[in-house]
Amino acid sequence: MVSTAPYGAWRSPIGAALTAAHTGGPEDVGVVGDEVWWTAPRPEESGRRTLIRSRAGAGEQVVLPPPWNVRSRVMEYGGAPWVATARAAGGPLLVFSNFDDQRLYAYEPDAPGTPDAEAAEPRPLTPLSAVGGGLRWVDLVLLADRAEVWGVLEEFTGPAPTDVRRVLAAVPLDGSAANDRTVIRELTNDVHRFLTGPRLSPDGRHAVWIAWDHPRMPWDGTELKIADVSEDGALKGVRTLLGGPAESIAQAEWAADGTLIAASDRTGWWNLHRVDPRSGVAVNLCPRDEEFAGPLWKVGFRWFAPLASGLIAVLHGRGAMSLGILDPRAEDATAGEGAGRADSVHPGVTEDDATARPAGHGSGAGAQQPVDAVGPWTEWQPTLAVDGTRVIGVAASPSSGYEVVELDTCTGHARVIGEAHTDLVDPAYYPEPVSRTFSGPGGRDIHTHLYPPRNPNHQAPDGELPPYVVWAHGGPTSRAPQVLSLEVAYFTSRGIGVVVVNYGGSTGYGRAYRERLREQWGVVDVEDCAAAAQALAADGSADLDRLAIRGGSAGGWTTAASLTSTSLYACGTISFPVLDLVSWATDDTHDFEAQYLESLIGPLAEVPERYRERSPLQQADQLRAPFLLLQGLDDAICPPVQCERFLTAIEGRGIPHAYLAFAGEGHGFRRAESIVQALEAELSLYGQVFGFSPEGIVPVELAP
């Protein structure tokens, strides 16, 4: 029987504990022999990430028990933290980054251990460092013939977050570097501030990687580097193939036949290009106004993966990313025979050549379009692995969470092979999202996902309009996907609508759309969120007097900037935010984003007043709405000092608010108990402001 109750007061089986237990999803997939491995979250185990293997006939098995935490801290956001290889005897050999100490460890999960242990313990391969953040590793490549693992080394040289260098480096597998830093062999110098791990050509003679420097972010401009690999394992003749300050190369891979493929946005969209490693000439394999890659927030993201057959598994789309199979051999024959093969590479442009020329453009007008995988999944994560005719990825839909999916390119059949979605409650409690494009200032498009309230057992009183919460995603150079989220359902099943806004500056819609935020952060994002909320109120979907806004990281900035610059919202939830632009640009963040504001706000040396005018800290006297402030005490990206200064600025002004700080949490909450407390406090805030009483929730105290 359907009962009548105010919006927000509906009873729901989707509790905070259930939501917390299913926060996060599988990442970092790889193939080890005939097995598929991936990392998975464990909120109930202090938020660690474990490593799972799927074995034929044995199902899913945990590779590493607590307290091992398979996660890198390179650039703080990390990236691909493990690599493994199958062996003829003794089972697989795994090398992984352990979060707590950031050392690389080797592990043989099938090797016999002591009589009291099922397997031998992981053994360290790299040393600890007492300097700054120590030695960190990501995006690894195992070279069994050299008995080494190659990857990105991030090494701190002093106590400041920006006292850091990054190089490609080789670590011996025998453990000789575990206590001796000098044994680690550096493959490149530190001429570039940032770089990805190496990709070796099939014959092992060449390596490519991506590099960039301050003040650019990787979606602004990067360079594709190539070098020869000498017999002694040194990288020689480093040179630039393509890229530059206004061209973003997001990923590069070698095909089995020695063809070099790269994702470049030189056309205004990240498209796949075949790159001649001799000349740098790039041929667009599938010219389309859609993305075949995305922002490189984590080192080791893979939006495409070449198969041995010559086909390429690709993620592509406008907004949502689909999995497709591209046949580059259908490309216009006028591009030339053999272009892109690496069997006769010549030195080309050297590392120190200041006149390095941009790569040429090619025509791919004859290329075949991708053939998309059939299935219920509407969104794929940038983690792909291939094995023979198999493609492995991670995908979700509006009615299912992220699952590990295998596509057989011979049959076209796709199936779930890991982390299978299970409905823990009746799906009737899940929201039914709708994608809507609103019109913003100047008639610009604003892409959103709308999640109206939905509960099979409740309806609202006649004439009552629902409260709505605007969700501003993090990044800001990122995008919110339209997939099942129990966090969204936690609110919608109680009668609170959610609109997720992919404001100007978001990715997935071409370079022009994401560059709308250039020097406009705190303006365009705020305006777009407000325009979406006002449009919902204007068409009768939302209660204009009961609008809220929430977000974390860059979304926390947008939330705080909205509350201090508009009177539209009745309240807001600000999580691990940027609040003081001047200090964040000079002292308060990590190296990766240390100069991000140069593009988001403008050069600090040229427009210092803009940093003050837009900072919520400097505009705190304009704040009128109640708010909840959530912060991890171990956050190196948006440290607690940002929140502390903001609270000092509003002290004595009588603004109802609560501040919850979580020990052991960094940038984003991973521990079940933290997620539960944060969700229930947020629901309590909305109840107190919007005038309903959430059942079973202890009210958070809003102190003036």
Side-chain angles (χ1 to χ4, degrees), residues 197-222:
R199 299 291 183 264
L200 293 173
S201 60
D203 61 9
R205 295 170 53 195
H206 313 287
V208 294
W209 62 95
I210 296 167
W212 68 98
D213 294 287
H214 283 319
R216 297 192 304 273
M217 299 300 287
W219 41 86
D220 296 325
T222 59

PDB file of all heavy atoms in Angstrom, residues 197-222:
ATOM      1  N   GLY A 197      54.116   5.869 -17.366  1.00  0.00           N
ATOM      2  CA  GLY A 197      55.015   4.735 -17.484  1.00  0.00           C
ATOM      3  C   GLY A 197      55.348   4.403 -18.925  1.00  0.00           C
ATOM      4  O   GLY A 197      54.643   4.808 -19.853  1.00  0.00           O
ATOM      5  N   PRO A 198      56.419   3.644 -19.135  1.00  0.00           N
ATOM      6  CA  PRO A 198      56.841   3.328 -20.496  1.00  0.00           C
ATOM      7  C   PRO A 198      55.964   2.262 -21.140  1.00  0.00           C
ATOM      8  O   PRO A 198      55.422   1.392 -20.470  1.00  0.00           O
ATOM      9  CB  PRO A 198      58.259   2.803 -20.290  1.00  0.00           C
ATOM     10  CG  PRO A 198      58.227   2.177 -18.926  1.00  0.00           C
ATOM     11  CD  PRO A 198      57.288   3.036 -18.119  1.00  0.00           C
ATOM     12  N   ARG A 199      55.828   2.348 -22.452  1.00  0.00           N
ATOM     13  CA  ARG A 199      55.194   1.311 -23.252  1.00  0.00           C
ATOM     14  C   ARG A 199      56.252   0.814 -24.232  1.00  0.00           C
ATOM     15  O   ARG A 199      56.748   1.589 -25.055  1.00  0.00           O
ATOM     16  CB  ARG A 199      53.971   1.856 -23.995  1.00  0.00           C
ATOM     17  CG  ARG A 199      52.879   2.388 -23.079  1.00  0.00           C
ATOM     18  CD  ARG A 199      52.193   1.259 -22.297  1.00  0.00           C
ATOM     19  NE  ARG A 199      51.095   1.765 -21.476  1.00  0.00           N
ATOM     20  CZ  ARG A 199      51.206   2.078 -20.197  1.00  0.00           C
ATOM     21  NH1 ARG A 199      52.396   1.980 -19.595  1.00  0.00           N
ATOM     22  NH2 ARG A 199      50.159   2.499 -19.513  1.00  0.00           N
ATOM     23  N   LEU A 200      56.581  -0.461 -24.125  1.00  0.00           N
ATOM     24  CA  LEU A 200      57.643  -1.036 -24.936  1.00  0.00           C
ATOM     25  C   LEU A 200      57.089  -1.621 -26.228  1.00  0.00           C
ATOM     26  O   LEU A 200      56.033  -2.271 -26.223  1.00  0.00           O
ATOM     27  CB  LEU A 200      58.382  -2.120 -24.153  1.00  0.00           C
ATOM     28  CG  LEU A 200      59.185  -1.625 -22.942  1.00  0.00           C
ATOM     29  CD1 LEU A 200      59.737  -2.779 -22.148  1.00  0.00           C
ATOM     30  CD2 LEU A 200      60.310  -0.705 -23.396  1.00  0.00           C
ATOM     31  N   SER A 201      57.792  -1.398 -27.329  1.00  0.00           N
ATOM     32  CA  SER A 201      57.390  -1.965 -28.609  1.00  0.00           C
ATOM     33  C   SER A 201      57.487  -3.488 -28.541  1.00  0.00           C
ATOM     34  O   SER A 201      58.208  -4.052 -27.704  1.00  0.00           O
ATOM     35  CB  SER A 201      58.269  -1.423 -29.730  1.00  0.00           C
ATOM     36  OG  SER A 201      59.629  -1.759 -29.499  1.00  0.00           O
ATOM     37  N   PRO A 202      56.768  -4.202 -29.402  1.00  0.00           N
ATOM     38  CA  PRO A 202      56.780  -5.676 -29.333  1.00  0.00           C
ATOM     39  C   PRO A 202      58.172  -6.289 -29.430  1.00  0.00           C
ATOM     40  O   PRO A 202      58.423  -7.337 -28.828  1.00  0.00           O
ATOM     41  CB  PRO A 202      55.905  -6.070 -30.533  1.00  0.00           C
ATOM     42  CG  PRO A 202      54.977  -4.916 -30.723  1.00  0.00           C
ATOM     43  CD  PRO A 202      55.804  -3.703 -30.394  1.00  0.00           C
ATOM     44  N   ASP A 203      59.073  -5.656 -30.178  1.00  0.00           N
ATOM     45  CA  ASP A 203      60.424  -6.199 -30.276  1.00  0.00           C
ATOM     46  C   ASP A 203      61.340  -5.718 -29.158  1.00  0.00           C
ATOM     47  O   ASP A 203      62.513  -6.099 -29.089  1.00  0.00           O
ATOM     48  CB  ASP A 203      61.038  -5.869 -31.641  1.00  0.00           C
ATOM     49  CG  ASP A 203      61.164  -4.366 -31.890  1.00  0.00           C
ATOM     50  OD1 ASP A 203      60.942  -3.572 -30.948  1.00  0.00           O
ATOM     51  OD2 ASP A 203      61.479  -3.973 -33.031  1.00  0.00           O
ATOM     52  N   GLY A 204      60.830  -4.879 -28.265  1.00  0.00           N
ATOM     53  CA  GLY A 204      61.609  -4.414 -27.135  1.00  0.00           C
ATOM     54  C   GLY A 204      62.654  -3.375 -27.462  1.00  0.00           C
ATOM     55  O   GLY A 204      63.441  -2.994 -26.595  1.00  0.00           O
ATOM     56  N   ARG A 205      62.647  -2.863 -28.696  1.00  0.00           N
ATOM     57  CA  ARG A 205      63.708  -1.941 -29.113  1.00  0.00           C
ATOM     58  C   ARG A 205      63.360  -0.473 -28.884  1.00  0.00           C
ATOM     59  O   ARG A 205      64.235   0.388 -28.974  1.00  0.00           O
ATOM     60  CB  ARG A 205      64.017  -2.164 -30.590  1.00  0.00           C
ATOM     61  CG  ARG A 205      64.611  -3.534 -30.905  1.00  0.00           C
ATOM     62  CD  ARG A 205      64.653  -3.758 -32.401  1.00  0.00           C
ATOM     63  NE  ARG A 205      65.320  -2.683 -33.112  1.00  0.00           N
ATOM     64  CZ  ARG A 205      65.235  -2.488 -34.432  1.00  0.00           C
ATOM     65  NH1 ARG A 205      64.489  -3.299 -35.161  1.00  0.00           N
ATOM     66  NH2 ARG A 205      65.879  -1.502 -35.006  1.00  0.00           N
ATOM     67  N   HIS A 206      62.094  -0.188 -28.623  1.00  0.00           N
ATOM     68  CA  HIS A 206      61.671   1.199 -28.486  1.00  0.00           C
ATOM     69  C   HIS A 206      60.700   1.331 -27.319  1.00  0.00           C
ATOM     70  O   HIS A 206      59.967   0.391 -26.995  1.00  0.00           O
ATOM     71  CB  HIS A 206      61.002   1.706 -29.770  1.00  0.00           C
ATOM     72  CG  HIS A 206      61.764   1.383 -31.006  1.00  0.00           C
ATOM     73  ND1 HIS A 206      62.936   2.020 -31.355  1.00  0.00           N
ATOM     74  CD2 HIS A 206      61.530   0.463 -31.982  1.00  0.00           C
ATOM     75  CE1 HIS A 206      63.392   1.510 -32.481  1.00  0.00           C
ATOM     76  NE2 HIS A 206      62.555   0.565 -32.879  1.00  0.00           N
ATOM     77  N   ALA A 207      60.684   2.503 -26.697  1.00  0.00           N
ATOM     78  CA  ALA A 207      59.760   2.797 -25.610  1.00  0.00           C
ATOM     79  C   ALA A 207      59.145   4.169 -25.841  1.00  0.00           C
ATOM     80  O   ALA A 207      59.816   5.088 -26.331  1.00  0.00           O
ATOM     81  CB  ALA A 207      60.481   2.771 -24.267  1.00  0.00           C
ATOM     82  N   VAL A 208      57.865   4.280 -25.508  1.00  0.00           N
ATOM     83  CA  VAL A 208      57.193   5.585 -25.570  1.00  0.00           C
ATOM     84  C   VAL A 208      56.552   5.876 -24.216  1.00  0.00           C
ATOM     85  O   VAL A 208      56.217   4.969 -23.457  1.00  0.00           O
ATOM     86  CB  VAL A 208      56.113   5.627 -26.678  1.00  0.00           C
ATOM     87  CG1 VAL A 208      56.739   5.518 -28.049  1.00  0.00           C
ATOM     88  CG2 VAL A 208      55.044   4.564 -26.466  1.00  0.00           C
ATOM     89  N   TRP A 209      56.406   7.150 -23.946  1.00  0.00           N
ATOM     90  CA  TRP A 209      55.712   7.592 -22.739  1.00  0.00           C
ATOM     91  C   TRP A 209      55.224   9.023 -22.972  1.00  0.00           C
ATOM     92  O   TRP A 209      55.541   9.638 -23.995  1.00  0.00           O
ATOM     93  CB  TRP A 209      56.608   7.513 -21.498  1.00  0.00           C
ATOM     94  CG  TRP A 209      57.822   8.387 -21.530  1.00  0.00           C
ATOM     95  CD1 TRP A 209      57.971   9.639 -21.005  1.00  0.00           C
ATOM     96  CD2 TRP A 209      59.106   8.060 -22.130  1.00  0.00           C
ATOM     97  NE1 TRP A 209      59.225  10.117 -21.216  1.00  0.00           N
ATOM     98  CE2 TRP A 209      59.950   9.173 -21.911  1.00  0.00           C
ATOM     99  CE3 TRP A 209      59.609   6.953 -22.810  1.00  0.00           C
ATOM    100  CZ2 TRP A 209      61.266   9.198 -22.365  1.00  0.00           C
ATOM    101  CZ3 TRP A 209      60.905   6.982 -23.263  1.00  0.00           C
ATOM    102  CH2 TRP A 209      61.734   8.090 -23.041  1.00  0.00           C
ATOM    103  N   ILE A 210      54.436   9.530 -22.041  1.00  0.00           N
ATOM    104  CA  ILE A 210      53.869  10.865 -22.157  1.00  0.00           C
ATOM    105  C   ILE A 210      54.447  11.736 -21.054  1.00  0.00           C
ATOM    106  O   ILE A 210      54.611  11.287 -19.913  1.00  0.00           O
ATOM    107  CB  ILE A 210      52.333  10.801 -22.046  1.00  0.00           C
ATOM    108  CG1 ILE A 210      51.755  10.000 -23.220  1.00  0.00           C
ATOM    109  CG2 ILE A 210      51.711  12.193 -22.001  1.00  0.00           C
ATOM    110  CD1 ILE A 210      50.304   9.610 -23.045  1.00  0.00           C
ATOM    111  N   ALA A 211      54.770  12.990 -21.396  1.00  0.00           N
ATOM    112  CA  ALA A 211      55.356  13.922 -20.422  1.00  0.00           C
ATOM    113  C   ALA A 211      54.695  15.289 -20.548  1.00  0.00           C
ATOM    114  O   ALA A 211      54.184  15.660 -21.613  1.00  0.00           O
ATOM    115  CB  ALA A 211      56.864  14.051 -20.643  1.00  0.00           C
ATOM    116  N   TRP A 212      54.710  16.041 -19.437  1.00  0.00           N
ATOM    117  CA  TRP A 212      54.216  17.411 -19.461  1.00  0.00           C
ATOM    118  C   TRP A 212      54.833  18.172 -18.293  1.00  0.00           C
ATOM    119  O   TRP A 212      55.490  17.588 -17.428  1.00  0.00           O
ATOM    120  CB  TRP A 212      52.688  17.466 -19.432  1.00  0.00           C
ATOM    121  CG  TRP A 212      52.021  17.028 -18.159  1.00  0.00           C
ATOM    122  CD1 TRP A 212      51.561  17.822 -17.147  1.00  0.00           C
ATOM    123  CD2 TRP A 212      51.723  15.682 -17.756  1.00  0.00           C
ATOM    124  NE1 TRP A 212      50.994  17.063 -16.148  1.00  0.00           N
ATOM    125  CE2 TRP A 212      51.072  15.744 -16.493  1.00  0.00           C
ATOM    126  CE3 TRP A 212      51.927  14.414 -18.335  1.00  0.00           C
ATOM    127  CZ2 TRP A 212      50.651  14.610 -15.810  1.00  0.00           C
ATOM    128  CZ3 TRP A 212      51.507  13.288 -17.665  1.00  0.00           C
ATOM    129  CH2 TRP A 212      50.877  13.385 -16.404  1.00  0.00           C
ATOM    130  N   ASP A 213      54.603  19.475 -18.267  1.00  0.00           N
ATOM    131  CA  ASP A 213      55.255  20.336 -17.279  1.00  0.00           C
ATOM    132  C   ASP A 213      54.297  21.402 -16.776  1.00  0.00           C
ATOM    133  O   ASP A 213      53.323  21.762 -17.436  1.00  0.00           O
ATOM    134  CB  ASP A 213      56.485  21.022 -17.896  1.00  0.00           C
ATOM    135  CG  ASP A 213      57.578  20.028 -18.243  1.00  0.00           C
ATOM    136  OD1 ASP A 213      58.233  19.527 -17.321  1.00  0.00           O
ATOM    137  OD2 ASP A 213      57.770  19.745 -19.451  1.00  0.00           O
ATOM    138  N   HIS A 214      54.607  21.929 -15.577  1.00  0.00           N
ATOM    139  CA  HIS A 214      53.898  23.099 -15.072  1.00  0.00           C
ATOM    140  C   HIS A 214      54.057  24.252 -16.065  1.00  0.00           C
ATOM    141  O   HIS A 214      55.102  24.376 -16.695  1.00  0.00           O
ATOM    142  CB  HIS A 214      54.496  23.529 -13.727  1.00  0.00           C
ATOM    143  CG  HIS A 214      54.082  22.684 -12.565  1.00  0.00           C
ATOM    144  ND1 HIS A 214      52.809  22.215 -12.374  1.00  0.00           N
ATOM    145  CD2 HIS A 214      54.795  22.234 -11.485  1.00  0.00           C
ATOM    146  CE1 HIS A 214      52.744  21.519 -11.256  1.00  0.00           C
ATOM    147  NE2 HIS A 214      53.939  21.504 -10.700  1.00  0.00           N
ATOM    148  N   PRO A 215      53.036  25.110 -16.227  1.00  0.00           N
ATOM    149  CA  PRO A 215      51.764  25.118 -15.493  1.00  0.00           C
ATOM    150  C   PRO A 215      50.667  24.296 -16.165  1.00  0.00           C
ATOM    151  O   PRO A 215      49.519  24.361 -15.741  1.00  0.00           O
ATOM    152  CB  PRO A 215      51.407  26.604 -15.503  1.00  0.00           C
ATOM    153  CG  PRO A 215      51.901  27.082 -16.828  1.00  0.00           C
ATOM    154  CD  PRO A 215      53.185  26.325 -17.049  1.00  0.00           C
ATOM    155  N   ARG A 216      51.016  23.535 -17.213  1.00  0.00           N
ATOM    156  CA  ARG A 216      49.990  22.781 -17.925  1.00  0.00           C
ATOM    157  C   ARG A 216      49.521  21.589 -17.107  1.00  0.00           C
ATOM    158  O   ARG A 216      50.288  20.950 -16.388  1.00  0.00           O
ATOM    159  CB  ARG A 216      50.517  22.281 -19.272  1.00  0.00           C
ATOM    160  CG  ARG A 216      50.892  23.376 -20.244  1.00  0.00           C
ATOM    161  CD  ARG A 216      51.114  22.838 -21.641  1.00  0.00           C
ATOM    162  NE  ARG A 216      52.108  21.790 -21.705  1.00  0.00           N
ATOM    163  CZ  ARG A 216      53.410  22.000 -21.837  1.00  0.00           C
ATOM    164  NH1 ARG A 216      53.870  23.245 -21.907  1.00  0.00           N
ATOM    165  NH2 ARG A 216      54.259  20.994 -21.903  1.00  0.00           N
ATOM    166  N   MET A 217      48.244  21.286 -17.246  1.00  0.00           N
ATOM    167  CA  MET A 217      47.694  20.020 -16.788  1.00  0.00           C
ATOM    168  C   MET A 217      47.681  19.076 -17.990  1.00  0.00           C
ATOM    169  O   MET A 217      47.771  19.528 -19.139  1.00  0.00           O
ATOM    170  CB  MET A 217      46.289  20.226 -16.225  1.00  0.00           C
ATOM    171  CG  MET A 217      46.230  21.167 -15.028  1.00  0.00           C
ATOM    172  SD  MET A 217      47.216  20.606 -13.617  1.00  0.00           S
ATOM    173  CE  MET A 217      46.215  19.239 -13.016  1.00  0.00           C
ATOM    174  N   PRO A 218      47.575  17.775 -17.770  1.00  0.00           N
ATOM    175  CA  PRO A 218      47.717  16.847 -18.903  1.00  0.00           C
ATOM    176  C   PRO A 218      46.637  17.007 -19.962  1.00  0.00           C
ATOM    177  O   PRO A 218      46.840  16.589 -21.109  1.00  0.00           O
ATOM    178  CB  PRO A 218      47.669  15.469 -18.238  1.00  0.00           C
ATOM    179  CG  PRO A 218      47.045  15.689 -16.903  1.00  0.00           C
ATOM    180  CD  PRO A 218      47.445  17.065 -16.492  1.00  0.00           C
ATOM    181  N   TRP A 219      45.478  17.585 -19.619  1.00  0.00           N
ATOM    182  CA  TRP A 219      44.448  17.824 -20.624  1.00  0.00           C
ATOM    183  C   TRP A 219      44.675  19.136 -21.362  1.00  0.00           C
ATOM    184  O   TRP A 219      43.978  19.414 -22.326  1.00  0.00           O
ATOM    185  CB  TRP A 219      43.074  17.818 -19.969  1.00  0.00           C
ATOM    186  CG  TRP A 219      43.042  18.512 -18.652  1.00  0.00           C
ATOM    187  CD1 TRP A 219      42.868  19.839 -18.424  1.00  0.00           C
ATOM    188  CD2 TRP A 219      43.228  17.905 -17.364  1.00  0.00           C
ATOM    189  NE1 TRP A 219      42.921  20.110 -17.079  1.00  0.00           N
ATOM    190  CE2 TRP A 219      43.135  18.932 -16.393  1.00  0.00           C
ATOM    191  CE3 TRP A 219      43.443  16.588 -16.926  1.00  0.00           C
ATOM    192  CZ2 TRP A 219      43.262  18.693 -15.025  1.00  0.00           C
ATOM    193  CZ3 TRP A 219      43.575  16.344 -15.576  1.00  0.00           C
ATOM    194  CH2 TRP A 219      43.484  17.383 -14.638  1.00  0.00           C
ATOM    195  N   ASP A 220      45.661  19.933 -20.920  1.00  0.00           N
ATOM    196  CA  ASP A 220      46.025  21.151 -21.646  1.00  0.00           C
ATOM    197  C   ASP A 220      47.000  20.832 -22.770  1.00  0.00           C
ATOM    198  O   ASP A 220      46.753  21.169 -23.927  1.00  0.00           O
ATOM    199  CB  ASP A 220      46.653  22.174 -20.698  1.00  0.00           C
ATOM    200  CG  ASP A 220      45.694  22.659 -19.634  1.00  0.00           C
ATOM    201  OD1 ASP A 220      44.488  22.775 -19.933  1.00  0.00           O
ATOM    202  OD2 ASP A 220      46.143  22.926 -18.502  1.00  0.00           O
ATOM    203  N   GLY A 221      48.112  20.209 -22.411  1.00  0.00           N
ATOM    204  CA  GLY A 221      49.117  19.901 -23.408  1.00  0.00           C
ATOM    205  C   GLY A 221      50.151  18.927 -22.877  1.00  0.00           C
ATOM    206  O   GLY A 221      50.648  19.096 -21.758  1.00  0.00           O
ATOM    207  N   THR A 222      50.450  17.907 -23.642  1.00  0.00           N
ATOM    208  CA  THR A 222      51.450  16.913 -23.281  1.00  0.00           C
ATOM    209  C   THR A 222      52.304  16.600 -24.506  1.00  0.00           C
ATOM    210  O   THR A 222      51.990  17.006 -25.625  1.00  0.00           O
ATOM    211  CB  THR A 222      50.809  15.607 -22.771  1.00  0.00           C
ATOM    212  OG1 THR A 222      49.968  15.075 -23.809  1.00  0.00           O
ATOM    213  CG2 THR A 222      49.969  15.832 -21.524  1.00  0.00           C
TER     214      THR A 222
END
